[in-house]
């Protein structure tokens, strides 16, 4: 408790009636949570249906895009000779490797400084 | 009437929180049941409006359900929930006015809603305070928080919190003298 609180005001606050528990309120919250979940599931289902439709109608644009993205991710960042340094760096010497390291760094920083 | 299984009702809160974080709906329901009075009471003091208080409380519990996996330490659940509630109230205030945390020079002398000498209750007196002062006063008296705790929770500078509580307390005393006499 704050030492600076006015004792008369504190007494007045303490005298205020406590809000009684209400099962109706609990039921409302649970129902609202259920509605939100259904809404979220409906959106997911709509997105999946849309993606499937795109694949069927436009000759697999998503599969094609994923293939292109996969190739791009494998692109080496640095050209290396066949020596021991190349052997060590090879696992992370790609766009995907660098992206993974950056995301890991961001994750560590967020955990340390924000939470 | 909906009922949680009895073992949830008897379980220690950190355990119930851990279960809710794993997606257990009964545990979530039990947490709402246990903490509803506190959160609804806090919003009633903030807003002075029973319907608005219950709407905002419901939003807080829905946010709690969505974010509970991010709570690393279940023993800190109460403080974490209070932070969500205070943020919800501050967001609500920002929707009313982007500069909710500024007290206008002339705001301290706002004309009372009641005529002098008329008894008013605590919620009426609180409603006459500027929004940011009301938040500080409610957290100090209703929640019995220290000034540094209020500063940490609201993001306001510690000196500002102290000043708002000092001025708000003086203002409340002034407005409630008649109320105290009429009891």
């Amino acid at each position: 408790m704050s030492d600076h609180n006015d004792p008369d005001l504190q007494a007045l606050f303490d005298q205020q009636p406590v809000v009684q528990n209400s099962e109706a309120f609990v039921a409302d919250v649970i129902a609202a949570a259920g509605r939100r979940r259904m809404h979220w599931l409906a959106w997911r289902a709509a997105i999946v249906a849309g993606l499937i439709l795109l694949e069927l109608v436009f000759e697999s644009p998503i599969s094609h895009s994923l293939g292109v993205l996969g190739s791009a991710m494998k692109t080496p960042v640095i050209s290396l000779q066949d020596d021991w340094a190349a052997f060590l760096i090879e696992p992370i010497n790609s766009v995907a490797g660098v992206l993974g390291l950056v995301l890991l760094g961001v994750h560590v920083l967020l955990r340390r400084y924000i939470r | 009437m909906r009922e949680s299984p009895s073992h949830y009702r008897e379980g220690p809160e950190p355990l119930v929180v851990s279960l809710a974080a794993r997606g257990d709906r009964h545990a979530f329901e039990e947490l709402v049941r246990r903490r509803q009075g506190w959160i609804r009471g806090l919003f009633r003091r903030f807003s002075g409006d029973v319907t608005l208080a219950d709407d905002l409380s419901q939003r807080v519990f829905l946010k709690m359900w969505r974010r509970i996996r991010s709570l690393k330490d279940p023993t800190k659940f109460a403080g974490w929930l209070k932070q969500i509630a205070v943020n919800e109230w501050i967001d609500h205030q920002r929707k009313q006015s982007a500069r909710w945390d500024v007290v206008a020079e002339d705001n301290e002398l706002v004309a009372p809603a009641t005529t002098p000498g008329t008894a008013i209750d605590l919620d009426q007196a609180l409603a006459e305070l500027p929004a940011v002062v009301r938040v500080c006063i409610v957290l100090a008296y209703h929640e019995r928080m220290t000034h540094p705790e209020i500063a940490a929770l609201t993001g306001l500078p510690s000196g500002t919190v102290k000043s708002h509580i000092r001025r708000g307390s003086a203002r409340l005393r002034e407005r409630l003298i008649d109320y105290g006499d009429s009891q």
Side-chain angles (χ1 to χ4, degrees):
Chain A
M1 177 185 163
S2 172
D3 294 334
H4 307 288
N5 281 2
D6 179 316
D8 293 335
L9 283 179
Q10 187 62 66
L12 186 60
F13 270 86
D14 293 344
Q15 285 165 16
Q16 296 303 304
V18 176
V19 175
Q20 295 301 310
N21 280 354
S22 153
E23 279 302 315
F25 177 81
V26 178
D28 284 349
V29 173
I30 300 303
R35 280 195 302 274
R36 284 207 173 185
R37 183 173 166 75
M38 288 307 294
H39 192 71
W40 182 74
L41 287 174
W43 264 107
R44 273 191 148 187
I47 289 169
V48 170
L51 290 175
I52 291 170
L53 200 68
L54 269 177
E55 286 288 280
L56 294 175
V57 174
F58 296 106
E59 295 179 358
S60 307
I62 298 168
S63 303
H64 178 70
S65 303
L66 288 175
V68 172
L69 189 67
S71 307
M73 286 290 177
K74 286 181 201 161
T75 311
V77 178
I78 313 165
S79 309
L80 294 165
Q81 307 297 322
D82 282 339
D83 57 9
W84 61 272
F87 178 72
L88 285 178
I89 296 173
E90 195 180 6
I92 54 163
N93 186 23
S94 66
V95 174
V98 171
L99 198 64
L101 284 177
V102 169
L103 289 175
L104 187 67
V106 169
H107 178 70
V108 169
L109 284 175
L110 284 176
R111 279 185 70 99
R112 179 169 293 184
Y113 295 109
I114 294 186
R115 283 181 189 159
Chain B
M1 185 189 290
R2 300 174 66 94
E3 290 290 339
S4 289
S6 60
H7 57 275
Y8 286 89
R9 293 206 168 186
E10 290 153 14
E13 189 164 84
L15 176 64
V16 182
V17 171
S18 300
L19 290 169
R22 290 181 197 171
D24 186 324
R25 297 183 139 257
H26 288 299
F28 165 58
E29 187 174 332
E30 179 58 24
L31 289 175
V32 176
R33 184 171 286 110
R34 287 185 191 189
R35 293 296 185 170
Q36 57 155 314
W38 172 45
I39 295 296
R40 291 164 69 213
L42 180 61
F43 278 122
R44 283 189 194 183
R45 284 285 97 77
F46 278 151
S47 69
D49 179 331
V50 174
T51 310
L52 176 62
D54 279 5
D55 282 352
L56 294 173
S57 302
Q58 187 178 95
R59 278 193 223 169
V60 165
F61 285 115
L62 292 175
K63 280 187 179 168
M64 173 198 99
W65 182 224
R66 210 165 59 230
R67 298 177 186 172
I68 198 161
R69 280 181 193 82
S70 70
L71 177 63
K72 300 294 174 201
D73 183 354
T75 60
K76 292 182 178 165
F77 174 71
W80 178 78
L81 185 61
K82 190 192 287 184
Q83 179 78 66
I84 296 178
V86 170
N87 287 348
E88 187 67 34
W89 178 247
I90 290 174
D91 286 348
H92 176 77
Q93 290 299 308
R94 283 205 180 106
K95 283 175 196 162
Q96 316 294 315
S97 160
R99 302 307 312 272
W100 78 281
D101 55 342
V102 173
V103 180
E105 287 293 317
D106 56 349
N107 209 343
E108 289 186 77
L109 300 170
V110 148
T114 51
T115 50
T118 309
I120 62 168
D121 69 11
L122 179 60
D123 285 335
Q124 255 182 296
L126 282 169
E128 289 175 7
L129 297 176
V132 66
V133 178
R134 199 184 325 150
V135 166
C136 293
I137 287 284
V138 170
L139 292 176
Y141 288 95
H142 184 77
E143 289 296 310
R144 292 171 171 260
M145 292 173 72
T146 62
H147 297 175
E149 286 170 342
I150 297 170
L153 195 65
T154 57
L156 294 167
S158 199
T160 307
V161 168
K162 194 174 173 181
S163 157
H164 286 336
I165 291 173
R166 186 173 45 78
R167 291 181 193 180
S169 298
R171 179 73 183 279
L172 273 182
R173 272 194 76 88
E174 183 188 310
R175 297 293 294 133
L176 290 164
I177 287 169
D178 297 322
Y179 178 73
D181 290 345
S182 69
Q183 293 300 291

